[in-house]
Amino acid sequence: MVEKILSAYKNEVTALTLIPSSGGVFEVTSNDQLIFSKKEEGRFPEFKELTPKI
């Protein structure tokens, strides 16, 4: 997922931070706003559903 984001937005991304977690938590935020939570959705996101929100 990270590689796809960096490839698609290579000229726009100024910072990308990966924060290790536990317990199956996988969250994606953009500009400090939560745009996807595996804990809430019960699944991993599809790249195509994240791109309009990034």
Side-chain angles (χ1 to χ4, degrees):
M1 182 72 63
V2 172
E3 290 175 355
K4 286 184 178 182
I5 291 170
L6 288 175
S7 178
Y9 296 99
K10 62 183 168 191
N11 295 327
E12 299 172 45
V13 173
T14 58
L16 179 70
T17 305
L18 298 175
I19 303 170
S21 186
S22 62
V25 175
F26 181 88
E27 296 182 328
V28 180
T29 60
S30 180
N31 296 322
D32 295 323
Q33 182 178 5
L34 181 65
I35 60 173
F36 187 88
S37 172
K38 178 183 172 253
K39 187 175 182 179
E40 290 177 13
E41 298 289 330
R43 62 181 178 80
F44 282 100
E46 296 289 328
F47 179 70
K48 62 184 178 186
E49 71 184 299
L50 293 180
T51 52
K53 299 175 182 180
I54 293 179

